[in-house]
Amino acid sequence: MLTYFLKRLALIIPTLFGIILINFIIVQAAPGGPVEQMIAKIRGTAVDATARIGGGFGDMSGGPFNDMAAHQGMESKYRGARGLDPEFISKIEKMYGFDRPAYERFIILVKGYLRFDLGDSYFKDQSVVSLILSKMPVSISLGLWTTLFIYLISIPLGIAKAKRDGTAFDTWSSAIIVVGYAIPGFLFAIFLIVFFAGGNFWHFFPLRGLISEGWENFSIVEKVRDYFWHITLPVLSLVIGGFASLTLLTKNSFVEEINKQYVLTARAKGLTEQRVLYGHIFRNAMLIVIGGLPAAFAHILFTGALLVEVIFSLDGLGLLGFEAAISRDYPVMFGTLYIFTLINLVVYLLGDLTYRLVDPRIDFAKRQG
């Protein structure tokens, strides 16, 4: 087992490198990079754009802008740059590091990542690490509570369906599960907002945010109550979309184990159904369910909550990545990708270790051999 663990750890490095390289190439080839984003800002909101550049260009809305627009007929490799002084474009390129060739930028990126230096955001005036750390509590809150409730609902429901396989309860509960599975989490989030967050019906819950204004001045009881008041609808929308597959997985695992020979032997010995179910079947049937817990949490944390965070204006990792992609904030895009990939690789390794803890008979080293 130790050999397998060390091999998996060693594989994390080339896997990370490959994923970052592929995404770097794809992103570099995509139009609308940070230089073009800055040019668009200059065209639309000149003062704000030059403020980001940090001086040296003056007020772009007046005479200096006219000076830099002297070469009206000049072609540029950037969309929307026609009419801007090439020297000015060069300064923007240098500010974002685009005065260097792509391979050199990638080498600098990898060297920084080896030290966990993810660089600074182009547009937020913060380091990528500080941005990720500031958004992490929101996403972790969503991921933990959603995973907890999904497992609390899915496991008992899956066991009950397995015990009553083929009955009316199994049929009707399957219909509900299919409906839940068919409705995307973001669509159910919109439904909840319309009905319970000030839409056309009731206003029981807040529309956006994770806490109320002045939260730091609340008492401990008020803080807890306000937190759960805000997080109820986002978690509920994620649970609805996530419990269906786990429920069916739990049911199928138990049904498969129920039909095995050792269960028939246990019943022949006169053991009660409860003893057979929880003393013999449970451990084997729950292997795949419990072993998949780390991966399920990672999936909810990094992918499932994206649109829900956007809809409820929750300032988490999903919303951060979405904004970075829209604004072409490359350091944030690559930094979040790096962290997401690293955590996912570690989480899947923890999933294998969880299998081993649940059932010591599993030996991944022998399977690898």
Side-chain angles (χ1 to χ4, degrees):
M1 185 63 182
L2 179 60
T3 303
Y4 171 81
F5 179 75
L6 294 176
K7 285 182 179 179
R8 285 288 298 272
L9 279 180
L11 282 173
I12 287 178
I13 297 175
T15 304
L16 268 175
F17 179 83
I19 291 174
I20 293 173
L21 175 60
I22 292 172
N23 282 273
F24 183 85
I25 294 173
I26 293 174
V27 170
Q28 297 301 314
V35 175
E36 290 179 335
Q37 292 286 325
M38 180 56 70
I39 290 172
K41 290 179 183 294
I42 291 171
R43 294 295 194 188
T45 54
V47 176
D48 291 341
T50 52
R52 291 185 185 277
I53 296 177
F57 301 113
D59 183 0
M60 304 297 297
S61 60
F65 178 81
N66 293 329
D67 293 338
M68 285 183 288
H71 304 282
Q72 293 293 326
M74 178 167 292
E75 294 294 333
S76 174
K77 62 181 177 180
Y78 299 110
R79 183 175 54 189
R82 185 179 181 87
L84 294 179
D85 189 353
E87 184 180 350
F88 177 68
I89 299 297
S90 298
K91 289 181 179 180
I92 298 179
E93 288 180 325
K94 185 175 181 179
M95 181 181 68
Y96 292 131
F98 279 77
D99 57 329
R100 305 172 183 266
Y103 74 88
E104 190 174 335
R105 297 200 306 272
F106 180 73
I107 292 173
I108 294 173
L109 181 78
V110 172
K111 286 181 178 179
Y113 283 6
L114 291 175
R115 305 189 306 269
F116 274 89
D117 178 9
L118 307 184
D120 298 319
S121 169
Y122 286 157
F123 307 117
K124 293 183 179 291
D125 299 321
Q126 282 184 261
S127 69
V128 176
V129 172
S130 64
L131 277 171
I132 291 175
L133 291 177
S134 66
K135 313 299 182 184
M136 189 73 78
V138 174
S139 295
I140 288 179
S141 293
L142 283 177
L144 283 176
W145 287 115
T146 302
T147 305
L148 175 63
F149 282 114
I150 285 177
Y151 270 73
L152 286 177
I153 294 171
S154 299
I155 293 176
L157 181 58
I159 294 174
K161 285 175 63 63
K163 291 170 62 177
R164 299 169 176 83
D165 186 30
T167 64
F169 171 80
D170 182 40
T171 302
W172 285 105
S173 60
S174 294
I176 296 174
I177 289 172
V178 169
V179 172
Y181 185 78
I183 299 177
F186 74 91
L187 187 61
F188 193 73
I190 296 174
F191 170 84
L192 292 175
I193 288 175
V194 170
F195 277 86
F196 301 108
N200 297 327
F201 296 90
W202 302 281
H203 194 179
F204 295 146
F205 296 96
L207 179 61
R208 61 182 60 200
L210 194 60
I211 55 176
S212 300
E213 292 185 9
W215 185 82
E216 61 277 1
N217 299 321
F218 292 174
S219 66
I220 294 179
V221 175
E222 290 174 335
K223 286 181 177 180
V224 172
R225 183 172 57 190
D226 183 75
Y227 167 77
F228 283 108
W229 184 48
H230 280 78
I231 207 171
T232 297
L233 294 188
V235 169
L236 184 58
S237 62
L238 289 172
V239 168
I240 290 297
F243 86 100
S245 58
L246 184 60
T247 300
L248 294 177
L249 176 64
T250 304
K251 178 201 170 181
N252 293 335
S253 297
F254 273 81
V255 169
E256 182 180 356
E257 294 296 324
I258 287 173
N259 295 323
K260 289 186 176 179
Q261 184 63 43
Y262 75 91
V263 177
L264 298 177
T265 303
R267 286 172 174 165
K269 291 180 178 179
L271 298 180
T272 63
E273 283 298 316
Q274 291 294 103
R275 180 70 182 275
V276 171
L277 180 63
Y278 294 103
H280 293 75
I281 299 174
F282 188 84
R283 179 178 178 179
N284 294 324
M286 288 299 295
L287 177 61
I288 189 172
V289 177
I290 297 176
L293 177 59
F297 173 71
H299 172 75
I300 294 170
L301 181 63
F302 296 132
T303 58
L306 169 59
L307 290 176
V308 171
E309 286 185 10
V310 174
I311 291 171
F312 287 99
S313 300
L314 299 176
D315 200 11
L317 292 173
L319 186 58
L320 175 66
F322 175 77
E323 292 175 345
I326 294 298
S327 64
R328 300 299 195 273
D329 196 341
Y330 286 173
V332 177
M333 289 174 61
F334 291 128
T336 52
L337 172 68
Y338 175 73
I339 296 298
F340 290 175
T341 305
L342 179 60
I343 292 178
N344 269 286
L345 291 172
V346 172
V347 159
Y348 277 100
L349 177 57
L350 291 177
D352 287 347
L353 295 178
T354 305
Y355 281 119
R356 174 72 172 175
L357 292 174
V358 174
D359 191 347
R361 296 172 296 176
I362 295 177
D363 192 336
F364 289 103
K366 291 182 179 179
R367 290 177 61 187
Q368 291 293 311

